Amino acid sequence: MGFRLEGIFPAALLPLLLTMILFLGPLMQLSMDCPCDLTDGLKVVLAPRSWARCLTDMRWLRNQVIAPLTEELVFRACMLPMLAPCTGLGPAVFTCPLFFGVAHFHHIIEQLRFRQSSVGSIFLSAAFQFSYTAVFGAYTAFLFIRTGHLIGPVLCHSFCNYMGFPAVCAALEHPQKWLLLAGYALGVGLFLLLLQPLTDPKLYGSLPLCVLLERTGASETLLCS
């Protein structure tokens, strides 16, 4: 289930670094639009008072701690070891996120109940959310298998909840849009280039899910090596 000490430090740092590289464009956009400079921003981030305020904010705890931990525990740590022996690792990576995407359909009920928008736009929004949560679920399933740890997917999930979906439309209207678009493109390019090296199983020790499949007689070499 990804709870182990072997290789825990690279498993915590490298997947998060990889995800931050993917979000290079949005991070640049956030930095450009932030009224404070880097020094002031670091002071706020490192201030104990800021963390105390966050830890008493139930919405922050839900989005940054509870949801990432519980969702990754259920849909990666619990579901993948059950699916993989039946389907193989590859199909499990793409099947598991479908359940993860469907689990977010409760937002439709909330929006319909409070009449927050028209029915058509609510279902269109739900279809879009299902699509990107399924893609994100496949990515964290890949991380879970390749690192053998739960901590990487949880930290990446928390980071993505904080960042939200990239504001591409806002970037296109930004005064420095060409610099931002270059950042978006560079981030995606570096992410694709570093995806395999930074998730190399050799960095993380033995992979429990791959060991489990070996014991059941399944042959999985692509994701396990």
Side-chain angles (χ1 to χ4, degrees):
M1 293 178 68
F3 297 106
R4 60 197 185 99
L5 292 177
E6 183 187 13
I8 191 169
F9 292 111
L13 295 175
L14 296 182
L16 181 59
L17 174 62
L18 185 65
T19 308
M20 292 176 73
I21 289 171
L22 177 62
F23 276 77
L24 178 61
L27 286 170
M28 289 173 58
Q29 194 169 344
L30 186 65
S31 175
M32 290 176 181
D33 295 339
C34 183
C36 58
D37 59 23
L38 180 61
T39 304
D40 292 336
L42 287 175
K43 287 180 180 177
V44 172
V45 169
L46 298 175
R49 186 177 297 177
S50 298
W51 284 100
R53 192 182 304 116
C54 290
L55 292 173
T56 56
D57 183 346
M58 292 307 298
R59 182 176 295 182
W60 185 91
L61 285 172
R62 180 195 66 185
N63 293 336
Q64 308 307 136
V65 180
I66 298 171
L69 181 58
T70 55
E71 290 178 0
E72 295 305 318
L73 179 63
V74 171
F75 293 103
R76 254 57 75 181
C78 293
M79 193 171 287
L80 275 173
M82 290 191 294
L83 283 175
C86 301
T87 65
L89 285 180
V93 165
F94 293 103
T95 303
C96 188
L98 299 180
F99 295 99
F100 179 60
V102 169
H104 290 77
F105 276 2
H106 65 89
H107 294 297
I108 300 177
I109 300 172
E110 294 174 2
Q111 292 174 349
L112 288 173
R113 179 181 298 171
F114 296 106
R115 299 291 181 182
Q116 294 179 354
S117 186
S118 66
V119 175
S121 61
I122 288 173
F123 278 94
L124 186 63
S125 173
F128 177 70
Q129 186 180 36
F130 172 80
S131 300
Y132 76 73
T133 51
V135 170
F136 174 77
Y139 171 57
T140 53
F142 176 85
L143 291 177
F144 179 78
I145 292 169
R146 295 276 290 178
T147 66
H149 282 272
L150 184 63
I151 188 169
V154 169
L155 292 176
C156 293
H157 194 145
S158 180
F159 172 77
C160 290
N161 278 0
Y162 173 77
M163 293 297 296
F165 192 81
V168 180
C169 293
L172 291 172
E173 298 175 357
H174 200 278
Q176 302 186 57
K177 71 173 182 178
W178 294 115
L179 181 59
L180 279 178
L181 292 177
Y184 272 81
L186 180 62
V188 172
L190 287 174
F191 171 80
L192 294 174
L193 186 67
L194 296 172
L195 180 61
Q196 292 289 338
L198 290 185
T199 61
D200 189 337
K202 295 175 183 176
L203 298 170
Y204 308 104
S206 62
L207 304 183
L209 196 51
C210 296
V211 172
L212 172 66
L213 292 180
E214 286 177 5
R215 288 174 181 172
T216 62
S219 176
E220 293 285 351
T221 57
L222 186 59
L223 289 176
C224 294
S225 59

